[in-house]
Amino acid sequence: DLGRRVPAAGRDEIAELGRVFNRMAASLQAGEERQRRLTGDIAHELRTPLANLRGYLEALRDGVVEPTPELLDSLHDEALLQQRIVDDLQDLALAEAGALTYHWAAVELGEVLEACRTAHRAKAAAAGVALEVVAPRPVRVSADADRLRQAVGNLVGNALRATASGGTVSLALAVEGELAVLRVRDTGKGISAEDLPHLFDRFWRADAARGRATGGSGLGLSIARQIVTDHRGTIDVESTVGVGTTFTIVLPMVPAGTG
């Protein structure tokens, strides 16, 4: 019974043992509750789309609906979304367990930003959003370039989804002391103050319909935060409704003159 606690009054060794025991029980109880919530979140996230897929497949099998190219494309897109959710969950589980593989090297952050712009250029153009990179000087950090691109790419993908046609998403690089500061800024709809504390939670979306409409898994920000943390960095967000959102990643730089 993880809800039970032992009396721990006094200052002797038995009382200290009781306090340690109670902290252990509380930690185990919290871990069990997190696991229960995660299992419920996963079930909730997968139940409806899988039921839709099953319904359409049964209707196709029974000849109730015609297998048009448009319907098959829609079913394929939904299957890809479910695969992405599973892949993202695996990445997040490995990262939180400290088992995600990293290949460390001195990485030039401007190149990471340019790679992210290249990867998202077509999506930005289709949405009518300008995608800019501002990196006035070389800045190097010790990083896994692929994982860092994954983290920044998740931020860029979110920014593009939040920004209407005619808006701008910018990737800016600056140096503050011995720290590299990377900002992903959009001119989108913004995020309310009450929603900001939940932004990095698994499966949480300010707009509950957004993930279904755009293919987001609801895990991208959680993964980005874990990758940045593993790089001994921090990630923060500021937002104003109707103005836009800025994500800021801060990483320790590689000292000048090092290989």
Side-chain angles (χ1 to χ4, degrees):
D1 181 3
L2 295 177
R4 295 284 297 274
R5 299 293 184 268
V6 300
R11 298 185 177 182
D12 59 11
E13 292 179 353
I14 299 300
E16 179 60 25
L17 177 61
R19 285 189 285 271
V20 171
F21 180 87
N22 287 341
R23 286 196 296 270
M24 178 189 70
S27 177
L28 290 172
Q29 186 178 29
E32 187 177 81
E33 180 59 29
R34 284 194 301 270
Q35 187 69 29
R36 189 181 299 114
R37 286 199 305 269
L38 177 59
T39 302
D41 287 344
I42 294 171
H44 172 76
E45 199 71 17
L46 297 179
R47 183 182 294 114
T48 299
L50 289 178
N52 289 340
L53 283 171
R54 176 183 175 183
Y56 274 112
L57 290 172
E58 289 176 349
L60 286 168
R61 181 193 62 188
D62 297 339
V64 177
V65 299
E66 291 294 323
T68 63
E70 292 78 15
L71 176 58
L72 294 176
D73 285 344
S74 175
L75 295 177
H76 182 254
D77 288 344
E78 190 62 39
L80 290 177
L81 171 58
Q82 303 318 304
Q83 182 64 57
R84 179 179 173 186
I85 290 175
V86 173
D87 291 343
D88 284 352
L89 276 170
Q90 183 179 34
D91 274 354
L92 188 58
L94 289 172
E96 292 184 342
L100 197 61
T101 301
Y102 289 98
H103 302 284
W104 300 100
V107 174
E108 212 285 288
L109 281 180
E111 295 177 359
V112 172
L113 300 189
E114 286 292 349
C116 288
R117 177 167 64 171
T118 299
H120 289 84
R121 181 180 294 152
K123 183 184 296 184
V129 176
L131 185 56
E132 304 173 346
V133 170
V134 180
R137 54 169 285 190
V139 179
R140 294 196 307 165
V141 298
S142 178
D144 181 312
D146 291 337
R147 292 297 182 189
L148 209 51
R149 278 196 295 269
Q150 179 183 5
V152 176
N154 287 346
L155 301 183
V156 174
N158 278 2
L160 290 174
R161 284 192 286 268
T163 305
S165 178
T168 301
V169 173
S170 64
L171 289 72
L173 185 59
V175 173
E176 297 180 5
E178 297 180 351
L179 299 174
V181 181
L182 190 163
R183 292 184 175 90
V184 178
R185 180 181 292 109
D186 67 61
T187 59
K189 57 188 177 182
I191 303 162
S192 65
E194 57 267 27
D195 287 337
L196 282 177
H198 305 287
L199 206 57
F200 293 97
D201 294 349
R202 297 185 188 94
F203 295 123
W204 188 89
R205 301 183 183 97
D207 178 357
R210 188 192 69 190
R212 293 284 169 239
T214 62
S217 70
L219 294 166
L221 292 179
S222 298
I223 293 172
R225 179 176 62 178
Q226 190 61 53
I227 289 174
V228 171
T229 299
D230 290 346
H231 282 74
R232 297 181 295 119
T234 61
I235 180 170
D236 295 297
V237 58
E238 296 178 349
S239 189
T240 302
V241 173
V243 176
T245 302
T246 301
F247 284 89
T248 302
I249 295 175
V250 179
L251 299 169
M253 289 195 305
V254 172
T258 60

